[in-house]
Amino acid sequence: MFERIWHMLVKEFIQLKRDRWARFRLIVPPLVQMLVFGYAATFEVYHVPTVVLDRDHSQESRELISRFSFSDRFRVVKIARSDAEVEDAINRSDAALAIVVHAGFAELLLKGQSAPLQVIVDGTNSNTALIALGYLNLIVQQYAADYGADLLRRGVGAPGAGIVQVGIEQRPWYNADLNGRWFFVPGVVGSLTLVLVVSLTASAIVREREIGTLEQIMVTPIRPAEYILGKTVPFFIIGLAEVALVALFGTLWFGVPFVGSPLILLLGTCLFLLSTLGLGLLISTLSKTQQQAFAANFFVLNPMFTLSGFAFPIASMPEPLQWLSYLNPLSYYLVVIRATFLKGVGLDALWPDLIGMTLLGSLLLGISILRFRKSLD
Amino acid sequence: MTAALETPIIAQDLVKRFGRFTAVDHVSLRIARGEIVGFLGPNGAGKSTVIRMLCGLLRPTEGRAVVAGIDVAHDPEGVREHIGYMSQKFSLYTDLTVGENLRFFGGIYRVPHALLAERIRFSVEMAGLTGREDHLVSTLAGGWKQRLALGCAILHRPPILFLDEPTSGVDPESRRRFWDLIHALAAEGITVLVTTHYMDEAEYCHRVALIDRGRLIDMASPGALKKRKLGGDLLVLECDPIGAAVTALQEAPGVGDVAVFGNALHLLVEDATAALSTLPDHLARRGVAVARIERIEPTIEDVFVQLVGTSSAGQGTRP
């Protein structure tokens, strides 16, 4: 039994050694994806393109606008001269935000009355819009507070004017920004492993079916279990190496902390790999060609990714979709990997997720082994 | 077990249907130890499907296959210890070297370590690949690849070999070398079942099974097949005058059809040896001068075309 599996392993690794494209695929795209996610997939908002229309032309309005110009959250891309120009800039997506200072702004401020400021925001990306509005509010309130303090100091204006929300509460919303990358980097480790291991396993077996070597192997006395092990153990090893590579990269390059136990991460990764190998094997029994396998990967992996809690919180999903996430090994693994990276919790907190992955992995592997026996017919 | 050794391949009423299409239709055959049996038939006739059922790669819809004394349906892996198989499509790993392929299949067949090096050397020599052990298989020419595939299939010294179109796409010289190898193996007692669509290759087989549209039309030695179909031996006769010869032959004993063929006659006789000894005298007595009379061989291709022509009358259509 082990002798045959050993010969399978030797063969697989020789083939991998010769396949420059496969080696490239194992190393470069995961690191690139890690970089892309690390830098791009973040909730932080910087340099929101902003168009400004100043109808007041006062010292006060210029002072307010300059605060936006100097903030790294906003970038004033255009000074408009009419409402039409504002609308045009938003429609063309030249700007995502418009600030309109109405005539009489300074006069109202001086009187201590509420001076309205019109803000138009492109709601297409609702998330960015909300966050940008938050920063905008912060800047305006700071301006109002400074202005009020200045008035008091100079003793001009109506009594009581400008006493506007001086103390601004630092909300956790902004703290969350700081952690955006910490949230995504461990998640990237999980989703990359899923995609790589499932697609490599499926295509490795389907390729043998396509070129006819599977038939040649099947006509030897090798047992299906020996073949399956010989075919999956290499990807198990590759999967572990992949997790190590990407996790190291994430911690060293992006400085994401790793506060938990590496052993628990190893255990969780092993259990997660059972599911991914089972899934890859299942796809290989359902596909006759590599194109079919590729299409099946796409069909299965996309919803798994979306429903895993990688980006969108599971708790916010409709209930039936939440049930589906119980059948998704990635959602368990993301809990384990984020917890070991960021929280440092142990088995006492993570055992339900580890058991979930064990059950799913056994089920997927079992079904695909049973299907594999018949798949030659 | 002795019966199994004497008749290593037995098929009983094998049927394979794919949906509504019957690929193999009640094929029964028995092949003796050391025999080379050729499956001859057009593409899509069901030759490969029979072989794949005998190897346990396909489950028969009906019927039974017993190979090396083992029921294939019950113990496919048990059967595979005793068989070597070369599929229609070249199916070694082209991204491995000659040596790596041989070591891999040797390992999968669990050839004892002490024997493996010698077996690999034998296969490499047989394939004419000495000195090329480290070449990638993808760089080899067709004939070499086929012989290497055969070398891989016999690493575990199987008593039974299934070769599915082993010489398709191989140049004539390589084909001849390949058949020399097969004859050498059969001489050692290995039973060989080989499919081909090269009519001339049928002549290399001890027995030929003619297969068309899933049915076994006939199975006999190449000579017997030709004789059986024609109902006798074929002679060519060059003589003068031809007209008198035709009349004379009509009253000669043991002569069937007589046909004018160019400036010669083709005669179908019951027995060539008898006819060759009596006919010249018979003709001479009737004033016919014989320039040449001798036996000629009909080709198996003629026989096959005629057999298929007869058997397909009234049959359904194939996809």
Side-chain angles (χ1 to χ4, degrees), chain A residues 4 18 208 210 215-216, chain B residues 52 85 89 93 95 108:
Chain A
R4 287 203 183 117
R18 299 241 162 87
E208 286 221 31
E210 228 174 15
E215 183 172 305
Q216 193 66 48
Chain B
R52 290 159 62 83
Y85 172 72
K89 215 162 99 179
Y93 294 95
D95 51 351
I108 295 297

Side-chain angles (χ1 to χ4, degrees), chain B residues 62-84:
Chain B
E62 281 171 37
R64 205 162 83 101
V66 180
V67 172
I70 302 168
D71 189 321
V72 180
H74 287 164
D75 185 10
E77 275 111 25
V79 167
R80 288 170 192 154
E81 306 267 358
H82 305 277
I83 62 173

Side-chain angles (χ1 to χ4, degrees), chain A residues 77-351:
Chain A
V77 291
K78 187 179 171 71
I79 305 290
R81 276 160 305 187
S82 67
D83 284 331
E85 279 187 21
V86 169
E87 198 182 322
D88 193 49
I90 298 271
N91 285 348
R92 287 166 182 270
S93 298
D94 291 338
L97 192 87
I99 299 167
V100 181
V101 186
H102 292 299
F105 175 81
E107 204 175 322
L108 285 169
L109 271 183
L110 206 58
K111 284 183 193 158
Q113 288 176 11
S114 177
L117 186 70
Q118 189 187 357
V119 174
I120 299 159
V121 67
D122 179 357
T124 316
N125 186 338
S126 53
N127 206 41
T128 305
L130 271 175
I131 296 167
L133 281 177
Y135 282 118
L136 183 124
N137 232 342
L138 187 66
I139 289 174
V140 171
Q141 284 180 19
Q142 187 64 45
Y143 171 77
D146 291 349
Y147 186 82
D150 191 44
L151 279 188
L152 279 180
R153 200 174 59 241
R154 289 192 287 157
V156 290
I163 317 291
V164 250
Q165 308 105 316
V166 175
I168 289 156
E169 218 174 305
Q170 196 76 21
R171 282 178 274 170
W173 174 278
Y174 302 114
N175 280 338
D177 279 351
L178 211 58
N179 284 345
R181 188 171 285 158
W182 292 9
F183 176 74
F184 273 116
V185 165
V188 170
V189 177
S191 53
L192 274 180
T193 310
L194 174 79
V195 173
L196 262 176
V197 175
V198 170
S199 59
L200 282 175
T201 310
S203 79
I205 294 174
V206 173
R207 189 172 57 228
E208 286 221 31
R209 190 196 306 281
E210 228 174 15
I211 61 179
T213 48
L214 182 63
E215 183 172 305
Q216 193 66 48
I217 292 275
M218 281 297 122
V219 88
T220 71
I222 196 169
R223 289 176 195 279
E226 293 171 324
Y227 178 77
I228 287 173
L229 277 170
K231 218 53 197 171
T232 49
V233 169
F235 295 111
F236 184 81
I237 296 169
I238 288 169
L240 283 179
E242 198 69 46
V243 169
L245 172 77
V246 182
L248 264 179
F249 189 72
T251 45
L252 296 181
W253 184 270
F254 287 117
V256 176
F258 188 91
V259 296
S261 150
L263 281 179
I264 291 178
L265 181 60
L266 178 66
L267 175 67
T269 305
C270 290
L271 293 177
F272 178 59
L273 286 174
L274 289 187
S275 305
T276 57
L277 293 171
L279 195 60
L281 209 53
L282 192 62
I283 289 173
S284 80
T285 65
L286 296 169
S287 316
K288 285 208 157 50
T289 64
Q290 291 192 72
Q291 272 110 324
Q292 284 177 11
F294 184 78
N297 284 340
F298 188 76
F299 186 74
V300 171
L301 295 179
N302 255 0
M304 279 181 77
F305 181 74
T306 314
L307 297 177
S308 66
F310 173 82
F312 319 113
I314 294 175
S316 317
M317 294 174 192
E319 211 169 314
L321 291 185
Q322 292 193 32
W323 298 333
L324 272 182
S325 76
Y326 286 115
L327 295 175
N328 185 353
L330 183 60
S331 51
Y332 297 109
Y333 187 54
L334 288 183
V335 171
V336 172
I337 198 165
R338 279 178 179 146
T340 43
F341 262 86
L342 304 174
K343 292 186 189 165
V345 294
L347 288 178
D348 51 332
L350 293 175
W351 66 267

